Amino acid sequence: MMTAVNAPAPAVAGGKERPWIFHAADNVWSALQGLLPLIALLLLWQMLGDSRSPYFPPPSTWAAALIDRTNSGDLIPAVLVTLQSVAAALILATSLGVGIGGLIGASPALARCLGPTLEFLRTLPPPTIVPVAALIIGVNETMKLFVIVFAALWPVLLNTTLGVRSLHPTLLEAARSLQLGVVARMTKIFLPALLPSILTGVRVAAPLAIIVSLLAEMLTLMPGLGALLLMAQRNFNAAEVFGLLTVVGSFGFILNAALAAFESWALMPQGRT
Amino acid sequence: MRSMLRRAGGALNLSALATALVLLVAWEVGVRAAATRFEFLPAPTEIGQTLYGAIRSGQIIGDAVHTVACALAGWAIASMLGAAIGFALAFSPTVHRFFNTSLELLRPLPAVAFVPVAVLLFGFTVYTEITVIVFASVWPVIVNTVAGARAIHPRLLDTAATLHLSRTQRLGRLVLPAVLPSTIVGARVSLGLALVVAVIAEMVGNPAGLGWGLVAAQEALQPGLMFGYLVATGALGVLLNACLRLTFARLFPGIREIQQ
C-alpha cells in the first residue's frame, strides 16, 4: 500500500473521545518504538562487541571512559567552557545581527552598498575564519568568541533584514499616529513584530555556533569539548571518542530544545506558538 | 524581465563596488600606516600577489580541485542516500514508526564531532572526508523529500486509485514527479553544506585540499598565503553557487525555489 504517512487517518467508529492519558501513553509508546532500532543496535553492539576493539568498543566502555574523564575532572569543565562560549557568542551575535540587520532592512541605500560585501562574507565557509583569527588575534577566548560570532551572525542578520522588509506598513503608521517615542516604538512595535524572524535566525545559528566552537577548540586545543575529542582521537581511545560523541550530541540536542522552549515562551503573548 | 534584472544588477554593482573598494583601500592604508602593530595582517595588495603566485604555481588550483571533487562525491552519495531514506520514511508507515525518532536523534550531531570517529575508522584519508560530508549533507535531502511527500494532495492518490494504476505506474507517473522537486531543492541546500564540511574535514581529518592549505599556511606563519586560501575558498563558494543555480535552472525549469 503506497500512501503518504500523513494521509488522514480513517475515522474511528463510535467516535468516542479517549481520555488524555491514553494519548500520552500513545506518544510515549511511539517515541519508544522510534528509538527501538537505535536501542537494538547499541544492545547488539554491547553483546557482540569486543571490549578491547580499537575501532568499535561496546557502549559500556564508552560510559566507563566518560566516568574516568569526569573523575579526573576534565569533562564537566570542558562542557561548561564550550557552553559558555556558545551562549555568550549567541547573545552577542543576536544583538549585532539585529542591529545591523535592522539598519540594512530599514535603509535600501545601505542594503545596496553593503549587500554584496556582506554576501561574500556570508558565503565564506565559517570554519575558514578559525585559522585566520588564530593567527591575527592569537589563541585566546577573544578569538574563540570572534569566530563563533562570525559564524552565528549571518542567519540572525539575514532573518532580521527580511523581517524588517516584511513589516506591515500599518504598523509604521500606527507608531506615527500614536506619536510614540523612539524607545516605545522599539519595545512596543518593532521588537515584538520582529521577534519571530529573529528567533528563527537564532535557531539556525545555534548549531553553527556549536560546530565552530568545537572546531576552534580542536584546531587550537583550547580547553573545551572539541579539544577533549581531538585528544581522545590522538590517543586512539575509541571508547572515549564514542562517549564524547554522545555528550556532544546531547549538548546540541539540549541546546536546541532549550531554544525551542524559549521561542514558544517568548512568542506566547502573540499566540503564534 | 531580463533587462530589468540587468538594470537592477548594474545599479547594485556600482555602489556596492565603491563600498567594497573603499573598505579595501582603508584596509590597505590602515595596515601600511601601522606596519609594526599588525604583524600577521597582510595588506590586500600583498594577499593579491601571494594568491596570484599560488594560482600560477598550481598549488591552490590543485587543492581547490581536491576539495570540490570530494564535496561533489560526498554530495552525490548523500543525495541518493537521502532520497532513498526520505522515500522510505514518507511512504512506509513501518519505517517511519521505527526509524524516525532515531534519525531525529542523530540529526543534531555536529559534523565536526563526527570527524574524530571517522579518523579512528578510516585514518587520515579521503574516506574520512567523504564519510563526514555524506553524514552532514544527507539531512536536508531527507527532510525535504519527506516534506515533499507530505505535500502530495490526497486527491492525486485517489485519482491513481480510481484509474487502477499499478504500483510501478503510480510511482513513476505520480509520486516521483510530485516529490522530486522537493528532493532537488534539498540537494541544492546540501551542496553548499558539502563544501563547508569538506573544508572542515580537511582541517582536522584529511590533510589535503583547501582546508588543509589554510591550516598549513597558518601554522607556517604565512598570513599572505593564508588569506589567499581564504579568498580562494570564498570565491569558490560563490562560483559553485552560481554554477549550481544556472545548471539547476536549466535542468529543472519547473522548480521555482532553486532559481532565486
Side-chain angles (χ1 to χ4, degrees), chain A residues 5 33-34 37 113 116 127 211 233 249, chain B residues 16 19 90 97-98 102 109 112 119 200:
Chain A
V5 169
Q33 273 183 329
C113 289
I211 288 182
Q233 175 226 306
Chain B
T19 316
R97 187 182 314 138
F98 285 110
S102 303
L109 214 58
V112 215
V119 167
I200 294 185

Side-chain angles (χ1 to χ4, degrees), chain B residues 184-253:
Chain B
I184 289 164
V185 170
R188 179 164 163 15
V189 173
S190 69
L191 185 55
L193 209 58
L195 188 71
V196 175
V197 176
V199 173
I200 294 185
E202 286 162 0
M203 283 175 163
V204 278
N206 178 29
L210 289 173
W212 176 248
L214 193 67
V215 173
Q218 177 228 332
E219 285 174 355
L221 300 181
Q222 290 179 302
L225 188 61
M226 184 183 69
F227 271 97
Y229 269 104
L230 189 71
V231 172
T233 314
L236 194 67
V238 174
L239 202 70
L240 204 63
N241 199 29
C243 285
L244 200 69
R245 191 180 302 170
L246 283 179
T247 322
F248 274 41
R250 175 92 17 117
L251 282 179
F252 312 104

Side-chain angles (χ1 to χ4, degrees), chain A:
Chain A
M1 198 29 202
M2 188 172 270
T3 49
V5 169
N6 73 322
V12 182
K16 222 168 116 187
E17 279 288 314
R18 294 194 309 158
W20 66 270
I21 188 87
F22 284 105
H23 287 289
D26 273 357
N27 285 342
V28 170
W29 172 231
S30 66
L32 272 183
Q33 273 183 329
L35 286 176
L36 270 181
L38 207 62
I39 296 170
L41 179 79
L42 290 178
L43 276 180
L44 266 181
W45 193 340
Q46 177 63 41
M47 287 191 290
L48 303 179
D50 175 6
S51 63
R52 283 157 318 199
S53 160
Y55 301 114
F56 295 106
S60 62
T61 59
W62 311 355
L66 283 186
I67 290 171
D68 271 2
R69 273 276 153 247
T70 316
N71 287 341
S72 62
D74 293 339
L75 185 61
I76 290 167
V79 172
L80 289 180
V81 164
T82 305
L83 179 66
Q84 196 190 345
S85 317
V86 170
L90 272 181
I91 293 171
L92 207 61
T94 307
S95 25
L96 270 178
V98 170
I100 304 176
L103 284 179
I104 290 181
S107 146
L110 203 60
R112 248 208 331 262
C113 289
L114 283 179
T117 308
L118 289 180
E119 194 64 27
F120 178 79
L121 288 178
R122 194 170 71 84
T123 47
L124 216 60
T128 54
I129 208 75
V130 177
V132 177
L135 196 58
I136 294 177
I137 304 178
V139 177
N140 50 40
E141 287 299 319
T142 320
M143 170 285 235
K144 196 167 153 197
L145 206 62
F146 174 79
V147 292
I148 308 177
V149 168
F150 185 87
L153 177 65
W154 308 114
V156 185
L157 199 154
L158 202 71
N159 268 294
T160 312
T161 309
L162 291 178
V164 172
R165 282 197 192 137
S166 60
L167 279 182
H168 201 280
T170 316
L171 272 177
L172 307 179
E173 284 160 16
R176 206 174 314 142
S177 49
L178 290 172
Q179 298 189 314
L180 294 179
V182 179
V183 179
R185 215 181 289 179
M186 282 293 161
T187 54
K188 293 201 172 138
I189 300 217
F190 292 137
L191 274 184
L194 291 177
L195 203 58
S197 324
I198 296 170
L199 288 178
T200 309
V202 176
R203 288 284 292 281
V204 177
L208 272 175
I210 297 179
I211 288 182
V212 175
S213 168
L214 289 175
L215 186 75
E217 288 156 8
M218 283 179 172
L219 282 176
T220 61
L221 290 181
M222 267 161 43
L225 269 175
L228 273 191
L229 250 177
L230 201 74
M231 290 316 291
Q233 175 226 306
R234 284 192 183 165
N235 297 333
F236 295 101
N237 191 342
E240 199 182 316
V241 170
F242 278 109
L244 287 171
L245 192 66
T246 59
V247 174
V248 171
S250 349
F251 185 89
F253 195 79
I254 291 171
L255 189 68
N256 188 38
L259 280 177
F262 177 74
E263 192 175 354
S264 55
W265 172 77
L267 296 185
M268 208 152 46
Q270 307 185 14
R272 297 202 208 190
T273 52

Side-chain angles (χ1 to χ4, degrees), chain B residues 98-205:
Chain B
F98 285 110
F99 285 90
N100 196 39
T101 319
S102 303
L103 286 174
E104 283 299 319
L105 271 187
L106 286 179
R107 191 149 73 103
L109 214 58
V112 215
F114 204 65
V115 176
V117 179
V119 167
L120 275 179
L121 302 184
F122 301 110
F124 295 99
T125 60
V126 74
Y127 301 112
T128 296
E129 190 177 345
I130 290 182
T131 313
V132 177
I133 296 173
V134 170
F135 176 82
S137 50
V138 76
W139 304 110
V141 187
I142 297 182
V143 171
N144 274 284
T145 306
V146 171
R150 296 225 163 136
I152 295 184
H153 200 282
R155 199 168 295 151
L156 275 177
L157 296 171
D158 291 348
T159 312
T162 315
L163 292 174
H164 291 293
L165 293 185
S166 74
R167 221 185 139 104
T168 344
Q169 279 177 321
R170 198 175 346 180
L171 189 72
R173 302 239 171 111
L174 193 149
V175 173
L176 276 182
V179 178
L180 271 186
S182 328
T183 308
I184 289 164
V185 170
R188 179 164 163 15
V189 173
S190 69
L191 185 55
L193 209 58
L195 188 71
V196 175
V197 176
V199 173
I200 294 185
E202 286 162 0
M203 283 175 163
V204 278

